[in-house]
Amino acid sequence: MKQERSEEISSLASAVADMYCWDTAIAPDEIAKTLGITFSLGQYGDYFDALLEWKDSRFHIYLNNDLGNDINSPRGRFSFCHELGHFCIDEHRWALMHGIEPHGSLTDFFSDNDAEREADMFASNLLLPEKRIRRRIGSRKINANLIVQTAKHFGASLSATAIRCAKLGISPLIVMAWEGNCRRWCWSSPNFEALTRNFSHRSLERIPRDSLTREITERATLPEGHVEVKGTTLGTWFPRIHPMSPDNIIMLEEVIGIGRFGVITVLRPDE
């Protein structure tokens, strides 16, 4: 996504947050009511997290309870905000109103579809407004425990919070999500993105067996929000960093459990 488009969506989400929840926690259901959007929960298997439909001259959001999308759950709140993104982003709303078939969204930052990536970005910025998250974190260095605490404070998913913390560049940080042996996504603070281009290994089989992420993934599911930590190096995760390069700095590897959806690896300099 181009930087200009990214900034446009970020500004739109911030404006929505300030307009409808300027002095309260972000409440996607209340925003929907104000916008005239109805919503309901249902059981839809693994087909989607949420879906926005235009029918009979009105918009309706379906949330899939089978994937943990309750109104007040972090995953449900993100999925709800994702669908609000499809409504608030003009091009998405107009497409639905002019006959484009609605499709269910799987909201976990791994879609290659531009519209889905834009809606993910909108949801992340709506739930975690930049000014509020910077005020909350202050001058603290971000680590896995602070990500967990911040997610709880904002009622946001661990994935959305980890990515938001990395992209804001508050402190040097890399975050990755793993499901089984496969990496789902990788995001970094600007300094690490410039160094690695986020081209990390995509399979845990390329990571040493004694890495904490691989140990935890192979032994069992780590409870959601639980954190463990171990030492590592940057080159362990990024093939473009040569083992003998001065860029192969010592890092701390922290792992956050996200239940049945896998784990998040947090890499930060060992200071």
Side-chain angles (χ1 to χ4, degrees):
M1 189 186 309
K2 292 184 177 180
Q3 183 66 25
E4 182 178 346
R5 180 62 170 173
S6 176
E7 292 175 357
E8 178 184 334
I9 292 172
S10 176
S11 296
L12 175 63
S14 296
V16 171
D18 290 342
M19 181 177 296
Y20 298 108
C21 304
W22 69 273
D23 64 345
T24 62
I26 303 301
D29 54 333
E30 294 300 323
I31 294 173
K33 291 175 185 177
T34 303
L35 293 172
I37 305 170
T38 55
F39 55 88
S40 60
L41 274 72
Q43 297 178 316
Y44 307 106
D46 294 330
Y47 289 105
F48 60 81
D49 278 298
L51 181 146
L52 176 67
E53 181 183 58
W54 168 255
K55 187 176 182 180
D56 298 328
S57 299
R58 67 182 178 92
F59 281 99
H60 185 86
I61 291 174
Y62 298 89
L63 291 174
N64 183 5
N65 197 238
D66 281 340
L67 291 180
N69 292 284
D70 296 316
I71 294 293
N72 295 314
S73 73
R75 187 177 183 89
R77 284 166 53 78
F78 185 86
S79 297
F80 207 141
C81 288
H82 177 104
E83 299 309 318
L84 289 176
H86 285 313
F87 176 86
C88 291
I89 298 170
D90 289 340
E91 296 89 340
H92 299 198
R93 183 178 67 257
W94 293 339
L96 288 170
M97 294 178 70
H98 289 84
I100 298 297
E101 286 293 322
H103 63 277
S105 302
L106 290 170
T107 52
D108 199 20
F109 300 95
F110 66 92
S111 175
D112 291 328
N113 182 285
D114 286 342
E116 293 303 295
R117 292 172 69 89
E118 290 181 355
D120 275 345
M121 174 172 286
F122 179 93
S124 179
N125 281 269
L126 178 58
L127 279 176
L128 298 155
E130 180 173 353
K131 291 181 181 178
R132 301 187 197 188
I133 197 170
R134 286 187 181 277
R135 186 165 59 244
R136 175 72 180 177
I137 292 174
S139 61
R140 289 178 289 177
K141 296 290 185 181
I142 296 176
N143 59 25
N145 282 312
L146 185 53
I147 289 173
V148 172
Q149 294 165 16
T150 302
K152 289 180 179 178
H153 176 79
F154 286 96
S157 70
L158 289 166
S159 293
T161 307
I163 293 172
R164 193 80 170 113
C165 286
K167 294 189 71 176
L168 284 175
I170 297 172
S171 58
L173 192 68
I174 299 168
V175 293
M176 307 175 188
W178 301 86
E179 186 171 11
N181 286 325
C182 298
R183 178 181 62 71
R184 301 190 75 174
W185 45 255
C186 175
W187 297 90
S188 306
S189 54
N191 57 330
F192 277 127
E193 183 175 2
L195 183 61
T196 69
R197 298 292 188 268
N198 290 334
F199 292 151
S200 65
H201 291 300
R202 293 179 174 273
S203 171
L204 272 180
E205 294 180 358
R206 303 294 300 276
I207 307 298
R209 285 191 172 275
D210 62 353
S211 77
L212 186 58
T213 303
R214 188 163 177 179
E215 286 179 6
I216 290 173
T217 301
E218 291 179 351
R219 76 180 183 223
T221 299
L222 190 65
E224 185 167 352
H226 185 80
V227 174
E228 295 189 20
V229 59
K230 192 175 185 178
T232 186
T233 63
L234 189 62
T236 296
W237 305 86
F238 294 91
R240 67 180 292 155
I241 304 297
H242 191 276
M244 302 304 293
S245 166
D247 292 330
N248 189 25
I249 60 177
I250 297 174
M251 306 284 284
L252 290 177
E253 174 193 1
E254 299 178 304
V255 181
I256 306 173
I258 50 177
R260 63 186 175 122
F261 299 104
V263 299
I264 295 173
T265 301
V266 178
L267 302 176
R268 57 189 179 90
D270 183 1
E271 299 174 334

